[in-house]
Amino acid sequence: MPASGAGLHIQDQLEILIQDFRTSTEPPMPVFVVHAQESTDDDAVTGLVRQLHTGQEAHGTRCAVAQDTYDGATEVRRAAAMVRALSDPKRWGGPKAVYRRYAFPRLRLVHAIDDAVAALGDTWPAPAPGSAEAGQDQRQRLLNQLAQQRWRPRNTARWRSGLPLFDMAHILPASLVTVLAALLARSEWYVAVGAGLVFLLLLTVLNYALPGRAPIFLWLRRESRWFMTTTFLRAADQEDPTEVSLLRPVRSWKAIAARAYDVAEALTAGGDFHLQLCVLALREDLRDNHRRWSWDLRGFKRPRPPMLLLPHADTGNGGIELIRAISDVRSRRSELDPLLVVAAVRAQDVPRLERSVIPATSEPEATPPRFSERLRTWYREWGRNLRAEQSPSRERSVLPWVMKIPLPHDQLVPVEERSRHLRASTRPTLARLVWALHTLVLVIALLTAGTVMRADALHDRYCSASVLTANRDTRRERTPGGGTECIGIATDGVRFADWLPAPPEPADEVTALTADDASPWTVEDLEDRIAGQNADVLAHHPGKYVTVVYAGPLSADPADGSSLVKGAEELAGVYLAQAVINKNSSVKLRVLLANGGVDLGRQKEMAEAVAAYAAEDPTVVGVVGTGRDLKSSRATTRTLLEAGLPVVSGTNSATYLPREFANWFSLAATDQWQTEQLGLIAAQLRTPKRRQYALVLARDTAKTNDLYTDEQARYGQHMLRRHGFTVLDQRRYTLSGGTPELRSHAQEICRRGRVPSVIYFAGRVEDIDPLMSQMSTEPGCAGTPLAILTGDDLSKADFTTGKQSVAPEVTLYHAALAELEKAAARTTFYLDAATYLPGLRDRSPQYDSPALDSGQTALAHDATRALHWAATRDDRPQSRASTWVNLRNVKIEGMATGTIDFTRAPLYGDRAGHSIVLKEVRRAGDGTSTSRVLCSRVAGDTERLTRKECAIG
């Protein structure tokens, strides 16, 4: 159908309004009522409205076209039926409409209540006396009917898009919260997703599958909030609640039920209430569909207002009443809504819309303006009068929101279409480009990729991590042999045993790495028992405990040849002290474990983790351990010093640490003092008035963190010179694949004319067997008497069972840090060990038992007892500062190594009273080795050793 002149001008006026709407000025949207000045042109006006529909659909406007007839006994009911038809989202929007379909939850709620009233029939709310319905609660009857309808209009689809996702607006977020809660609790991702899916299924079943009940999240729906807050509806009974609350579902449900009953009663009364409520709901739904600052910014994505077109607005379809209802509701409400209405009315029905806002002219103008100019003038005049026309003091016959446009015959004649039409901007809004589905997919993809990458990074960096979080107290690091170890302080269920190499099968000849063959316990056993003690302390003795950190080597690397003997034995001593203390002391002991890596190679990182944790936990009073003297020992001790943590070490024999750090306390005799005691033996090996050669053989530490070897080599060389030996140039051997390369050194030492009679071996216990093998086979040394002196690391060697031996004509003299035999008679250490340590209950352990004879367990036990004593003076938990001060007053007798006495320890100086043992190891006739104690002192005994007492015979 060719376009008419009026149609083109009205189309332009609509585009001007739409452009204003797009630029967020929110212009008032009138109800355009077009009518012919002559009744013969009524059909042309109807055609004009259809032309507007075609043009607006082509421009992307969401248009709904009312039918010519609707069912209803009265004109008001037919108008209500027209509004009901508009609640179908499919009635709005053509193929060019942007963004998704409209939703009409408020209008559907009104229809649900109306259908419930209709289903109850004339027996509600006043059933006939004596009927079955008369004895029932009428409110409950209504609620039961609504529940059967699921609070939806009758005969509507129970499935959305073919899926049972009704009320997913609340069920899906609830399930997502469940997943996030599980992830933040550091559950595995599949546990979190499984929990969310189970919760989703449960809520879906409760919400959808159970018949005859209201939706589970009814009070959270937007239509329920509107239903309770709109002032259009009269208040419910004052005895009932009238508000909804997120945290009060029962009260909210009662409020909704009371309001539904109140509205249902009003619907049965008839009148205009039903139509006006439907119009109000439609209006609020459209406002919500174009709300700009919504979660999806839908108002920005829908730049064109919705348009309702009524080609035939008359009494037959209720169009006239609908127009009146729209104007009345808008006059009662203060908010603007986006609905733009264009209705065609027959000329004979115009008086039903009362008077027009177009002023009548007393005399015709000489040159009447063009129709387009008159149209704009009429709109401006309507806008100026809108405020006054809505005043309650005005005549009730006025419809202020109706703008009648009389169309003369000449404007309804088809004309040639103009080459250019006005059209509001079609440029996509920024929200459509940025906040859209494709953007959401991209963001989700990026977030998923980022989450996966972050989770992978967390799992690569930390020992315990989930998808989103990680325990940052421990970190994963590479071992020297290429394996993985867990470094830091174990909290929140982290177990260092989980990172140890699996123990070999019984038939395997490889040495087990979790503990020495003689040790009846494993690190896993001890960690579990310590965790049990800690749990009991926290559960039953809150505020009546102190926390001590054991910092030691709790890693092993089979590729590097390292073992866990030291860490496992020290850990056993710490656990034994904890068990005894918690049994007998009113102030309990909580122990946390910190791992410094293979041979404490990462003790600096460990110390930083301990210091960071101690800053958050004031119950941490000190550290036990750090038992190896490394190049990082200074930095480690300084880190703990700055954190205010005293350190009590059982086996670290560093000479410089007590001289440089006030927080350092050690039970081990220092390297310098040990070497001085070995000098008593060296003096006996020296032949007076005769040149006698000696040599220091030490492991090369240039590429390692070892400082113990350098200290032993330096003090050993000074000691040999002091006793008159001619000291040859010091020799350093390297390691290849964990094995010392000693052959070339043995050749150089033994094939020269200056064969040393004494070698001071500044190496590790694992290097002693290769050294003895070379000394027993190399010409010039084989069969020649030779004395080897060495420090306390050789106390870990096992000469009694034949696992290690000395070469023929070689006598080995070494120091040990713990005199256990003399102290055994005055300690309960062995009885306690039999009671608490795994695997010792039926063994009756003694000082020479293979599991305890190295002294590592005894020294760690005594160090822990000393630190706990300082932290619990006067039977009260002390602060770490007080513990530090109290350590210089510690004097405890009856320990495994004797008396632990720090009372005479000078600040920044060497103390006396260390335990010490000097041993001699010789080869027996059957090829085994025999070991005997030359002289010793228990801890606390400050009497000097003498040459006579340490005679080598």
Side-chain angles (χ1 to χ4, degrees):
M1 179 184 294
S4 63
L8 295 175
H9 294 309
I10 294 175
Q11 191 79 275
D12 289 346
Q13 181 63 41
L14 293 177
E15 290 298 318
I16 292 173
L17 280 175
I18 291 170
Q19 182 62 36
D20 290 343
F21 179 83
R22 180 187 179 97
T23 56
S24 74
T25 58
E26 295 187 354
M29 296 295 182
V31 178
F32 288 107
V33 174
V34 293
H35 62 90
Q37 288 183 341
E38 302 175 8
S39 59
T40 57
D41 293 328
D42 286 343
D43 291 340
V45 173
T46 299
L48 179 146
V49 173
R50 298 194 184 279
Q51 293 170 22
L52 294 177
H53 173 230
T54 302
Q56 287 299 315
E57 269 202 332
H59 290 175
T61 303
R62 294 175 182 267
C63 300
V65 180
Q67 299 176 2
D68 293 340
T69 59
Y70 288 93
D71 295 333
T74 64
E75 188 176 353
V76 172
R77 295 297 296 183
R78 289 192 289 274
M82 182 186 296
V83 178
R84 183 182 185 115
L86 296 176
S87 65
D88 183 2
K90 296 180 181 178
R91 298 291 299 273
W92 298 83
K96 294 187 178 181
V98 297
Y99 201 47
R100 53 191 175 90
R101 289 175 175 172
Y102 283 153
F104 297 95
R106 298 164 184 82
L107 190 54
R108 287 167 61 87
L109 176 60
V110 174
H111 295 333
I113 297 176
D114 185 41
D115 287 351
V117 172
L120 293 174
D122 297 336
T123 63
W124 191 92
S131 63
E133 294 82 2
Q136 299 179 12
D137 184 349
Q138 300 306 308
R139 176 183 292 187
Q140 192 59 45
R141 286 183 64 198
L142 175 68
L143 295 179
N144 290 342
Q145 179 61 37
L146 284 170
Q148 290 181 7
Q149 297 174 199
R150 306 288 295 170
W151 287 70
R152 294 190 297 260
R154 300 184 71 184
N155 301 321
T156 56
R158 293 176 58 85
W159 302 71
R160 287 187 177 181
S161 304
L163 295 175
L165 297 180
F166 183 77
D167 213 20
M168 286 295 105
H170 301 296
I171 292 179
L172 284 176
S175 304
L176 181 60
V177 168
T178 303
V179 172
L180 291 177
L183 290 177
L184 292 175
R186 296 182 40 232
S187 301
E188 295 292 341
W189 68 268
Y190 52 84
V191 175
V193 173
L197 291 177
V198 170
F199 194 65
L200 173 65
L201 179 62
L202 175 63
L203 291 181
T204 304
V205 169
L206 291 176
N207 188 75
Y208 179 81
L210 298 180
R213 59 175 308 280
I216 190 170
F217 289 115
L218 177 64
W219 88 99
L220 294 180
R221 293 183 181 178
R222 51 186 170 176
E223 61 267 30
S224 297
R225 294 194 297 271
W226 165 80
F227 194 54
M228 296 305 302
T229 56
T230 179
T231 58
F232 185 86
L233 301 175
R234 68 180 178 87
D237 190 344
Q238 295 300 315
E239 295 181 359
D240 293 314
T242 58
E243 61 180 359
V244 293
S245 172
L246 176 64
L247 302 178
R248 306 182 72 174
V250 176
R251 181 181 178 87
S252 302
W253 164 248
K254 291 180 179 179
I256 294 172
R259 181 58 56 87
Y261 182 79
D262 185 67
V263 170
E265 279 190 320
L267 291 178
T268 60
D272 295 341
F273 175 77
H274 183 199
L275 175 60
Q276 293 195 356
L277 181 58
C278 290
V279 170
L280 174 64
L282 173 65
R283 174 180 176 276
E284 294 299 324
D285 281 332
L286 290 175
R287 288 183 69 241
D288 188 50
N289 282 307
H290 282 268
R291 187 160 55 91
R292 299 197 171 193
W293 298 112
S294 55
W295 70 270
D296 57 349
L297 303 179
R298 50 184 173 269
F300 289 103
K301 300 175 186 178
R302 293 166 173 161
R304 302 180 73 89
M307 185 175 297
L308 173 61
L309 298 113
L310 287 76
H312 294 285
D314 54 21
T315 59
N317 61 8
I320 300 294
E321 285 299 324
L322 177 59
I323 293 172
R324 296 173 64 88
I326 291 175
S327 181
D328 290 345
V329 170
R330 282 179 168 177
S331 296
R332 293 181 61 177
R333 310 299 294 172
S334 60
E335 305 93 343
L336 294 173
D337 65 77
L339 180 61
L340 186 59
V341 182
V342 179
V345 178
R346 293 186 179 92
Q348 65 183 12
D349 291 331
V350 172
R352 298 194 62 198
L353 296 172
E354 306 302 336
R355 63 186 178 87
S356 172
V357 298
I358 302 174
T361 56
S362 58
E363 58 183 34
E365 300 180 23
T367 306
R370 291 182 300 174
F371 182 77
S372 60
E373 295 176 357
R374 283 183 288 163
L375 185 61
R376 289 172 174 76
T377 301
W378 293 339
Y379 178 75
R380 288 194 296 270
E381 182 69 19
W382 172 82
R384 283 194 297 267
N385 294 337
L386 180 62
R387 179 183 301 173
E389 297 293 354
Q390 294 185 97
S391 173
S393 63
R394 299 290 261 184
E395 299 178 26
R396 301 303 297 170
S397 60
V398 175
L399 297 178
W401 285 90
V402 174
M403 177 179 168
K404 295 195 297 293
I405 304 175
L407 302 177
H409 176 76
D410 61 335
Q411 291 295 323
L412 295 174
V413 176
V415 297
E416 291 186 6
E417 191 170 353
R418 292 176 298 177
S419 59
R420 184 175 181 181
H421 301 278
L422 290 180
R423 183 175 182 180
S425 174
T426 58
R427 176 176 54 85
T429 61
L430 183 63
R432 283 182 58 196
L433 299 175
V434 176
W435 195 255
L437 181 60
H438 61 272
T439 308
L440 178 62
V441 172
L442 178 61
V443 169
I444 290 176
L446 292 176
L447 285 177
T448 301
T451 301
V452 171
M453 293 175 63
R454 174 174 172 79
D456 188 59
L458 291 176
H459 280 83
D460 285 344
R461 179 173 296 182
Y462 300 104
C463 303
S464 177
S466 65
V467 176
L468 300 177
T469 62
N471 180 345
R472 299 176 183 271
D473 293 329
T474 50
R475 299 182 62 166
R476 301 175 66 165
E477 300 288 353
R478 304 298 294 178
T479 63
T484 303
E485 60 184 353
C486 184
I487 303 299
I489 182 169
T491 58
D492 296 335
V494 173
R495 295 286 192 273
F496 293 122
D498 296 339
W499 299 85
L500 294 175
E505 297 295 330
D508 197 337
E509 296 180 358
V510 179
T511 303
L513 294 173
T514 52
D516 186 80
D517 291 342
S519 297
W521 55 75
T522 64
V523 170
E524 183 178 8
D525 293 335
L526 298 172
E527 279 192 301
D528 289 342
R529 290 177 180 241
I530 289 173
Q533 291 277 341
N534 291 343
D536 181 73
V537 168
L538 294 175
H540 301 105
H541 307 279
K544 195 68 173 176
Y545 69 90
V546 293
T547 302
V548 167
V549 178
Y550 166 69
L554 296 175
S555 295
D557 191 356
D560 192 53
S562 63
S563 69
L564 193 57
V565 174
K566 179 179 181 64
E569 292 187 351
E570 286 187 339
L571 188 59
V574 173
Y575 162 66
L576 179 57
Q578 181 189 30
V580 172
I581 288 169
N582 289 344
K583 177 67 179 300
N584 302 309
S585 175
S586 61
V587 180
K588 307 303 178 181
L589 177 62
R590 173 172 167 250
V591 174
L592 295 179
L593 307 185
N595 182 22
V598 173
D599 294 332
L600 280 179
R602 296 188 180 273
Q603 65 172 347
K604 186 173 182 292
E605 293 93 322
M606 172 195 69
E608 291 170 351
V610 171
Y613 178 83
E616 303 296 329
D617 187 352
T619 69
V620 178
V621 294
V623 174
V624 170
T626 62
R628 289 179 67 92
D629 183 15
L630 305 173
K631 295 174 183 177
S632 58
S633 293
R634 278 190 174 89
T636 298
T637 309
R638 184 175 295 107
T639 298
L640 298 175
L641 172 71
E642 293 171 351
L645 293 170
V647 182
V648 182
S649 178
T651 58
N652 193 327
S653 58
T655 303
Y656 60 91
L657 288 176
R659 297 176 180 177
E660 296 180 13
F661 297 98
N663 67 324
W664 180 263
F665 301 83
S666 180
L667 307 188
T670 63
D671 293 325
Q672 183 177 9
W673 190 77
Q674 285 184 52
T675 308
E676 290 174 358
Q677 311 315 304
L678 289 171
L680 298 175
I681 299 173
Q684 299 177 62
L685 296 172
R686 176 76 175 92
T687 302
K689 298 181 182 181
R690 176 184 168 188
R691 171 170 288 191
Q692 196 169 348
Y693 295 104
L695 171 72
V696 173
L697 178 63
R699 181 188 283 193
D700 186 4
T701 61
K703 297 181 180 180
T704 69
N705 196 24
D706 184 16
L707 193 57
Y708 168 83
T709 296
D710 293 339
E711 289 244 308
Q712 286 282 324
R714 181 170 69 255
Y715 293 125
Q717 189 144 340
H718 291 333
M719 179 269 292
L720 293 174
R721 284 177 177 166
R722 189 170 60 252
H723 287 284
F725 288 92
T726 300
V727 181
L728 302 176
D729 292 339
Q730 187 178 126
R731 306 193 69 86
R732 294 274 180 159
Y733 63 89
T734 59
L735 298 180
S736 177
T739 302
E741 295 184 334
L742 291 167
R743 183 173 181 178
S744 60
H745 293 285
Q747 291 175 347
E748 291 292 325
I749 293 171
C750 299
R751 294 183 182 181
R752 287 185 172 186
R754 298 181 296 175
V755 177
S757 61
V758 176
I759 294 178
Y760 192 92
F761 181 64
R764 293 291 183 177
V765 64
E766 54 266 26
D767 302 338
I768 195 65
D769 277 346
L771 175 62
M772 292 300 174
S773 176
Q774 293 297 328
M775 292 295 101
S776 63
T777 58
E778 191 62 42
C781 289
T784 302
L786 176 65
I788 297 179
L789 305 180
T790 188
D792 62 85
D793 199 63
L794 265 291
S795 62
K796 294 181 285 186
D798 186 1
F799 295 108
T800 59
T801 61
K803 290 185 178 180
Q804 290 166 306
S805 63
V806 296
E809 301 299 326
V810 173
T811 305
L812 177 66
Y813 301 95
H814 72 87
L817 296 178
E819 169 52 86
L820 302 179
E821 182 178 2
K822 292 181 180 180
R826 301 181 58 187
T827 184
T828 61
F829 172 78
Y830 301 100
L831 294 176
D832 294 334
T835 303
Y836 296 107
L837 287 181
L840 293 184
R841 184 175 296 276
D842 299 324
R843 296 194 181 187
S844 300
Q846 301 296 326
Y847 66 89
D848 57 352
S849 296
L852 303 173
D853 62 354
S854 69
Q856 303 280 326
T857 301
L859 288 164
H861 165 272
D862 290 359
T864 306
R865 294 287 296 269
L867 184 56
H868 177 266
W869 189 96
T872 58
R873 191 170 183 177
D874 300 326
D875 286 332
R876 289 183 301 166
Q878 304 288 305
S879 66
R880 66 184 62 147
S882 298
T883 301
W884 187 344
V885 173
N886 293 339
L887 273 168
R888 299 202 176 273
N889 297 316
V890 168
K891 185 174 183 180
I892 313 175
E893 297 186 2
M895 294 291 99
T897 60
T899 300
I900 308 304
D901 186 1
F902 293 146
T903 58
R904 286 174 287 182
L907 193 62
Y908 302 110
D910 299 334
R911 74 178 183 91
H914 295 291
S915 178
I916 188 70
V917 180
L918 298 183
K919 290 186 177 182
E920 177 189 77
V921 184
R922 292 181 180 272
R923 187 180 182 91
D926 58 358
T928 62
S929 299
T930 60
S931 176
R932 72 183 183 98
V933 175
L934 297 179
C935 53
S936 64
R937 290 285 184 270
V938 296
D941 188 348
T942 58
E943 185 179 352
R944 289 176 176 270
L945 291 173
T946 64
R947 176 173 174 176
K948 179 179 180 181
E949 185 180 3
C950 300
I952 61 177

